[in-house]
Amino acid sequence: MTNIPKPKPRKPIPSQPSSRDDSNVNNTQKPYKLVSFPQQRPPLEPPAGHDRFDRNRLHGTLFLTLKVKTSLHVSTGVVVPGSDIATRVPLIKTMVQGVDKHLLIQGSSLKGCIRSVYEAITNSTLAVVTSKYRDKVPNERLPCRNKEQLCPASQVFGALDWQGLIEFNDAKCASMGFNTGFMPSLYRPRPEPGSAYFNTRGKVAGRKFYYHTVRAIEKGQNQGIPVQQAAREYTFTTQLQFKNLKPEELGTLFVVLGQDSNYPIALKIGGGKPIGMGTMTVEVTQAKILQNLEALRSHYQSYTPNNDHLLTGDALQQFIATQIKTAHSQLIEFSELQQLAEVLRYPTDREPPEGMY
């Protein structure tokens, strides 16, 4: 069994002020922000079933290209000798690689990243709450446990006993190879009572998102932990299948993927978020859309794939704009979207934090 080298001793970070005022959230110098919950309780409804294609809803596939803007590391949780993956460092934290040695981003990691943003800009519950902090979460934000009464995000992404309406494939790197980066040791989150994580009632103040920065901190071999990573401008491709989505649900997904020109946000995925790692932009290159009974029949009555319902270019952009407009009028919470866009807007001129975080 292998172990990574122990980091050098560091000076402890002073504890945060004990103020229980919400203004503490806005004054924090930490590289994150808490996006508030909507004031209204989440609307709970039964989801669309999987047993049939609803002729009044949308079905299809999105073809995505993701571009790395700051170094990316999505960990496998495994540390191996560097010689195992052809790098010179003694030990290294690994990413997933396919049999052809191309880096992969797990579909589950993509789903979690995208769902967290979708939850934040719709009136939804949290997806997961640990038992330790369950009494700190407002009752209306606890995860859905009745599959017939689901919040907007749970209807689309799934909940207890409900699979959801979207399937995520692993994203595959377009080029072979990888970089070796050196990530500094990071402190654990500090959600102690009295910290910025809680409001004046002692309840969780909102959802936590890290800012994008112009670059990621690189500590070098003598101060950082070696990690296998995708370097800036590496590209990944993937597909996302969906069925029985409402136009406003698909439109909200487009907003999350950064397709709304008024809110140009990028994804933040993987490890090292506090030091600027994990920024990725998304391009929807193509979309196969089935949106009525005739389209469904022609698609599923053919033995060979065809491009009859494939949208590209101007037709794709017009379709995306239409769904986004519907999403803004029927599903997206304006205040929360404004807050989130401030954090995840990209490009940015924000520098990563200096010193240890």
Side-chain angles (χ1 to χ4, degrees):
M1 180 176 179
T2 57
N3 294 302
I4 59 175
K6 291 183 178 179
K8 294 181 178 181
R10 300 166 302 181
K11 296 177 65 176
I13 288 181
S15 59
Q16 295 192 15
S18 60
S19 170
R20 298 171 68 84
D21 194 310
D22 284 349
S23 61
N24 191 36
V25 175
N26 298 324
N27 294 332
T28 181
Q29 297 302 310
K30 297 293 186 183
Y32 63 78
K33 181 178 180 179
L34 297 180
V35 175
S36 65
F37 297 122
Q39 294 295 316
Q40 303 297 322
R41 298 177 68 87
L44 304 179
E45 297 179 358
H50 296 123
D51 58 316
R52 62 187 175 87
F53 290 102
D54 190 323
R55 68 179 68 184
N56 297 316
R57 297 197 176 205
L58 299 169
H59 329 276
T61 304
L62 301 181
F63 299 81
L64 309 179
T65 296
L66 299 86
K67 182 171 290 187
V68 178
K69 292 301 181 182
T70 61
S71 52
L72 171 77
H73 172 74
V74 183
S75 181
T76 61
V78 177
V79 178
V80 302
S83 57
D84 283 9
I85 58 171
T87 186
R88 294 182 178 180
V89 296
L91 297 169
I92 188 169
K93 286 186 172 181
T94 56
M95 288 183 67
V96 173
Q97 285 181 279
V99 292
D100 55 3
K101 303 300 181 184
H102 289 241
L103 293 178
L104 298 175
I105 302 174
Q106 303 92 316
S108 57
S109 294
L110 277 178
K111 182 178 181 179
C113 170
I114 292 172
R115 175 174 182 149
S116 65
V117 180
Y118 193 103
E119 284 180 10
I121 63 175
T122 60
N123 191 1
S124 296
T125 67
L126 298 173
V128 179
V129 174
T130 62
S131 57
K132 181 177 181 180
Y133 295 106
R134 189 174 182 84
D135 63 335
K136 300 293 185 183
V137 175
N139 289 335
E140 68 274 16
R141 299 296 161 189
L142 291 173
C144 299
R145 302 188 65 82
N146 180 352
K147 66 178 181 180
E148 296 300 327
Q149 294 293 313
L150 298 180
C151 71
S154 296
Q155 291 181 45
V156 174
F157 291 87
L160 184 67
D161 297 329
W162 167 244
Q163 187 176 356
L165 301 173
I166 301 183
E167 299 174 11
F168 289 79
N169 294 352
D170 291 346
K172 181 179 179 180
C173 191
S175 57
M176 192 185 301
F178 60 88
N179 270 22
T180 299
F182 298 92
M183 185 191 302
S185 296
L186 304 176
Y187 287 93
R188 66 171 177 81
R190 298 179 179 279
E192 289 80 1
S195 72
Y197 285 77
F198 301 98
N199 60 23
T200 54
R201 296 177 296 142
K203 297 292 186 180
V204 173
R207 293 178 169 88
K208 180 180 177 181
F209 290 92
Y210 284 96
Y211 287 95
H212 293 303
T213 57
V214 295
R215 59 185 172 83
I217 289 177
E218 173 64 71
K219 277 295 184 181
Q221 186 167 1
N222 295 328
Q223 299 183 61
I225 299 170
V227 294
Q228 187 180 21
Q229 64 183 27
R232 186 182 177 93
E233 301 302 323
Y234 275 36
T235 58
F236 290 77
T237 57
T238 189
Q239 298 178 16
L240 189 161
Q241 288 83 31
F242 60 91
K243 58 187 175 184
N244 287 339
L245 285 188
K246 298 176 183 176
E248 58 268 31
E249 292 170 336
L250 184 57
T252 303
L253 186 61
F254 283 134
V255 173
V256 174
L257 296 176
Q259 305 306 302
D260 187 342
S261 58
N262 294 319
Y263 301 95
I265 60 180
L267 301 180
K268 189 80 164 170
I269 186 170
K273 295 185 181 72
I275 57 171
M277 295 179 64
T279 296
M280 298 190 80
T281 57
V282 181
E283 179 186 3
V284 182
T285 57
Q286 298 177 350
K288 179 171 284 188
I289 305 296
L290 308 173
Q291 53 185 333
N292 55 50
L293 192 57
E294 182 180 348
L296 286 165
R297 282 176 174 166
S298 66
H299 180 72
Y300 287 104
Q301 288 182 345
S302 173
Y303 285 107
T304 57
N306 58 59
N307 294 327
D308 290 349
H309 309 286
L310 193 65
L311 298 179
T312 59
D314 291 341
L316 174 61
Q317 294 307 313
Q318 184 175 355
F319 175 79
I320 291 174
T322 301
Q323 311 314 310
I324 288 176
K325 183 178 180 181
T326 306
H328 280 295
S329 64
Q330 300 190 26
L331 185 57
I332 291 176
E333 298 288 331
F334 178 73
S335 174
E336 281 65 34
L337 176 58
Q338 292 281 81
Q339 296 175 55
L340 187 79
E342 178 189 339
V343 184
L344 295 184
R345 183 176 294 275
Y346 192 86
T348 178
D349 58 359
R350 189 181 184 91
E351 291 287 336
E354 295 294 335
M356 298 303 296
Y357 171 73

